[in-house]
């Protein structure tokens, strides 16, 4: 049941408990239960490794401790069986307490009220807590302590979204009219295209949705409170107003609460406020107005994490009334903006629908006027409607974006929707949360100031100037490292593979990791200097000292803390290997160095030591100390973040940092990241934002590099201000506080491993392994997708317009119908989808990340493009009509004539794919374009299908075509090649110089977007 695996060190043992595997409940139970035993000093259980680490008095054996663990485990098993036996009964009881219309909780500035007054207002007691009856009444009155869940997109909603466009609606109407007029086959083909497009979109988006949802974590299920004068564990959802929370390290705060007792209590609020360092808490009354969330040091908030110390707090808000609940409300109020490509494709499709309706009406009127039958003209009009709407357009766009999502997945980037990849390619401004996104959200030693050297610490190396120092060759540095290890409360153990496991506060862990990187054996050093006494910091004493035994019978005093306080207790310091007097001038120099390091937003500690002979009493050992130096710590910048910022700038994307940290910290990080591109760094503080009108914030937003001391609602304001200034905005973040802004941005990017559930649920893109540098890959992919879709749209519009020109000209001239309805559908299927897709698979251009982002207001088809499209379509139409005229002259108005026209237009459209690969590069250019294997395969496949259509009798009958002879084949080939040669030879000629009717001018672009 219990296996002792590491027992060599006296007073410490590690055990393997099989039942602990992936059991968070057993972890909590073991830690809580074992801490009660006087034989156990410290316990930490790990459900991932099934191991439990225990520190105990050295006189006890590891077998004794194993017996205690086994006893606790047996109790847990009995309790589990009891719970299992009564589960249905308890479930019935819980279900009875349902609140249909919970009362609104009164929000007050609890941090401005004395603790005893808060207790009185909530009818509770610090020592007794609530009674069971009062707790039940409050639960009935205010409802459960749960947040509203952010609904994930259902399968049905994803499917419905695939059909929400006017072109798809038009195709549906066309299919319905075809059935009404007897064209069942026509209708089946039209609906087949629509369903194919929807299937591709649904499959891709639903897969991403499932993967992102699988990353979700579960909230802690239970909380310790004082009720009926007893400390008891209750379900977190049953915590109510007035409950007294018992806060201890490693636990999450269950609800918003006012602290009424705090002993060295520190809480990590980074998920809520963005503050990178744990906040030291107090139960004192605060004085002031509109105190920012991060400065309310006498409050504990739901979802934050206790990192050290202990405390009691009275619950003042639960569920939706908590700060986290308010943030979720902001998420609900934030609206997601449509991406540029989605807008433009929708607008192009809608405009094509209007154009097709006009043309259909015109052709229908002309046909009736010329004496054609009503049913015949109705079918022809439907055919034209289908021809005008490129069925391949949604399929090409959807499939291209889906392939982009597939590529992103290979880079461990999960994309929730098809449009998100394209949107990243058009981003003009990217707002980045500092803590956990640009930085690692953990403390590391980055600088050391000894009495003779200024040392930079990076990647485990100690560097002064350009020289690397070995601590074992520098006595001053080694002593400083040793003191930082022994004057340290972090628990350190070594795994079987030699790796260290460190448990403690972020600051103290950083000192341990610095020592490990220097080669110090932590466990051996602590055994060499056994701990005798610890003197912790207190409210007016910002330092800590420890006393240790030495091998020669003396006592070693080690101290760390506020540099200004530590240096005042020192009389000497080590300089060039000698202990010399520490003068007032020396102390002033140390103060200057301390200010310099603090100005770089470092958390600075001073370290000192001394050796004494007698046993200390009343802290009289904290005098006549020997100064060692300063240690500066910071939340380090993520590896690759600086290079990523440089890449964004090269791509013409403005970068903005948003953080809950103070301005000096934000300034130091932004400076190191070179956020302002060597310009003056502009910082705006939240106190200034709150005094700005929305218009003023919009005007200022794109001039600011850093927003500091920002609240969740401020983040949302900033994103919306940038959008109001006309920017396409991406927002990255990992905390609860980032969620509203993530949702409002055109592209929200969340972290997969280190991020919170709320952030992931609203984000468009999730970086599964938290590697921020993969974003630049997404930007590149997004830009390439847009460029390629633009080529595909150009091709589809040119070919479909040629079909309209052929049909309209033939009807107007009274020379019959060159193409019937099923032939038009066949044309759009064979010549649209696969060649269009192959154009979307073109390789990215080499300078894709050297170009500025495109203007989101720029239409996908500009005036110059539209003029070119009309010219190309005219060439395709004229060659088809010439071939058709030849066939009429030879065969009359017959299926043979229609066959020649059908094959000419199909072949010409397929060859036109080559012209659409580049706007300027032609077949006659010396420099060749990169090979596109997909294009070659698409053309070979399409021509093969076309040959099968005439070779197989069933297909011939379906399309109503006839076999062709050698002369007809020569005419078809010649007519198909002529538009290709014409288009390729005129690529570098401006459209206005071409011999086509002039187009009406409309400023710079015809708005088809």
């Amino acid at each position: 049941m219990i296996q002792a695996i590491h027992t060599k060190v006296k007073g410490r043992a590690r055990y393997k408990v099989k039942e602990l595997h992936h059991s968070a409940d057993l972890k909590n139970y073991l830690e809580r239960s074992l801490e009660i035993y006087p034989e156990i000093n410290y316990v930490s259980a790990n459900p991932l490794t099934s191991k439990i680490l225990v520190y105990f008095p050295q006189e006890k054996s590891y077998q004794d401790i194993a017996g205690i663990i086994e006893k606790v485990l047996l109790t847990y098993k009995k309790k589990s069986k009891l719970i299992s036996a009564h589960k249905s009964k308890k479930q019935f009881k819980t279900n009875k307490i349902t609140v249909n219309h919970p009362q609104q909780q009164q929000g007050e500035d609890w941090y401005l009220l004395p603790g005893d007054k808060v207790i009185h207002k909530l009818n509770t007691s610090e020592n007794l807590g609530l009674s069971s009856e009062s707790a039940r009444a409050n639960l009935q009155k205010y409802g459960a302590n749960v947040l509203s869940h952010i609904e994930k997109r259902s399968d049905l909603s994803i499917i419905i979204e695939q059909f929400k466009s006017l072109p798809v609606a038009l195709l549906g109407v066309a299919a319905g009219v075809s059935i009404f007029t007897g064209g069942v086959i026509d209708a089946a083909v039209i609906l087949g295209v629509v369903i194919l497009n929807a299937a591709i979109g649904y499959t891709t988006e639903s897969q991403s949705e499932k993967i992102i949802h699988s990353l979700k974590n579960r909230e802690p299920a239970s909380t310790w409170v004082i009720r009926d004068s007893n400390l008891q564990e209750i379900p977190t959802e049953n915590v109510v107003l007035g409950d007294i929370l018992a806060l201890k390290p490693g636990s999450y705060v269950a609800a918003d609460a006012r602290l009424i007792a705090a002993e060295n209590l520190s809480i990590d609020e980074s998920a809520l406020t963005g503050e990178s360092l744990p906040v030291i808490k107090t139960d004192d009354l605060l004085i002031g107005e509109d105190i920012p969330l991060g400065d309310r040091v006498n409050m504990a908030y739901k979802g934050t994490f206790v990192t050290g110390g202990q405390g009691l707090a009275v619950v003042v808000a639960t569920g939706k009334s908590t700060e986290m609940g308010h943030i979720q409300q902001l998420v609900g109020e934030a609206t997601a903006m449509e991406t540029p490509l989605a807008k433009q494709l929708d607008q192009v499709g809608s405009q094509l629908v209007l154009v097709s309706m006009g043309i259909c009406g015109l052709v229908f009127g002309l046909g009736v006027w010329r004496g054609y039958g009503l049913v015949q003209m109705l079918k022809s009009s439907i055919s034209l409607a289908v021809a005008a709407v490129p069925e391949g357009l949604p399929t090409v766009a959807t499939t291209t974006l889906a392939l982009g999502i597939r590529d992103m997945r290979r880079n461990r980037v999960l994309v929730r929707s098809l449009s998100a990849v394209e949107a990243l390619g058009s981003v003009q401004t990217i707002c980045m949360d500092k803590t956990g996104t640009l930085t690692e959200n953990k403390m590391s030693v980055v600088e050391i100031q000894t009495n003779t050297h200024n040392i930079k610490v990076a990647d485990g190396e100690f560097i002064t100037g350009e020289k690397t120092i070995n601590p074992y060759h520098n006595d001053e540095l080694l002593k400083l490292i040793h003191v930082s290890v022994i004057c340290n409360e972090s628990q350190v153990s070594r795994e079987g593979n030699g790796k260290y496991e460190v448990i403690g506060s972020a600051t103290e862990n950083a000192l341990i990791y610095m020592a490990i990187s220097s080669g110090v054996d932590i466990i051996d050093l602590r055994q060499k200097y056994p701990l005798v006494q610890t003197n912790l910091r207190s409210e007016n004493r910002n330092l800590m000292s420890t006393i240790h035994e030495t091998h020669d019978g003396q006592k070693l005093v080690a101290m760390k803390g506020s540099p200004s306080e530590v240096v005042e207790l020192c009389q000497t310091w080590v300089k060039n290997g000698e202990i010399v007097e520490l003068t007032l001038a020396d102390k002033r120099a140390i103060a200057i160095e301390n200010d310099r390091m603090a100005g770089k937003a470092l958390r600075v500690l001073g370290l000192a030591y001394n050796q004494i002979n007698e046993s200390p009493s009343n802290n009289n050992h904290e005098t006549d100390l020997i100064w060692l130096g300063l240690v500066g710590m910071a939340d380090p910048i993520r590896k690759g973040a600086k290079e990523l910022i440089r890449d964004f700038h090269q791509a013409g994307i403005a970068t903005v940092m948003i953080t809950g940290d103070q301005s000096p910290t934000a300034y130091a990080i932004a400076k190191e990241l070179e956020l302002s591109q060597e310009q003056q760094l502009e910082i705006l503080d939240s106190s200034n934002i709150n005094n700005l009108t929305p218009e003023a914030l919009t005007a200022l937003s794109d001039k600011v590099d850093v927003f500091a001391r920002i609240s969740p609602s401020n983040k949302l304001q900033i994103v919306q201000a940038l959008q109001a200034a006309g920017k396409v905005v991406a927002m990255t973040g990992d905390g609860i506080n980032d969620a509203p802004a993530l949702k409002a941005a055109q592209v929200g990017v969340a972290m997969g491993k280190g991020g919170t559930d709320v952030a992931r649920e609203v984000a468009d893109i999730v970086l599964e392994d938290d590697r921020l540098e993969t974003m630049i890959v997404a930007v590149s992919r997004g830009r390439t997708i847009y460029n390629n879709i633009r080529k595909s749209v150009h091709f589809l519009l040119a070919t479909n317009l040629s079909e309209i020109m052929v049909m309209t000209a033939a009807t107007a001239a009274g020379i019959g119908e060159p193409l019937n309805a099923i032939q038009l559908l066949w044309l759009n299927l064979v010549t649209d989808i696969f060649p269009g897709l192959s154009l979307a698979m073109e390789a990215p251009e080499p300078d894709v990340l050297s170009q500025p982002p495109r203007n989101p207001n720029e239409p996908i088809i500009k005036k110059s493009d539209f003029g070119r499209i009309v010219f190309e379509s005219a060439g395709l139409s004229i060659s088809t009509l010439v071939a058709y005229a030849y066939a009429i002259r030879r065969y009359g108005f017959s299926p043979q004539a229609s066959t020649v026209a059908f094959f000419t237009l199909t072949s010409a459209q397929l060859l036109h794919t080559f012209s659409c690969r580049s706007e300027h590069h032609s077949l006659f250019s010396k420099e060749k374009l990169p090979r596109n294997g997909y294009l070659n395969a698409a053309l070979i496949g399409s021509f093969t299908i076309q040959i099968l259509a005439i070779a197989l009798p069933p297909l011939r009958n379906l399309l109503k075509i006839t076999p062709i002879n050698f002369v007809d084949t020569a005419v078809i080939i010649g007519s198909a090649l002529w538009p290709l040669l014409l288009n390729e030879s005129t690529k570098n000629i401006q459209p206005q110089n071409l011999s086509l009717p002039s187009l009406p001018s409309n400023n710079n672009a015809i708005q088809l977007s």
Side-chain angles (χ1 to χ4, degrees), residues 984-996:
E984 289 298 283
S985 61
T986 57
K987 269 190 177 175
N988 294 320
I989 301 175
Q990 294 300 317
Q992 58 264 34
N993 296 330
L994 299 175
S995 54
L996 284 173

Side-chain angles (χ1 to χ4, degrees), residues 296-308:
R296 299 172 192 172
V297 292
N298 60 3
M299 296 289 293
Y301 292 105
K302 181 176 175 66
T304 58
F305 184 73
V306 181
T307 58

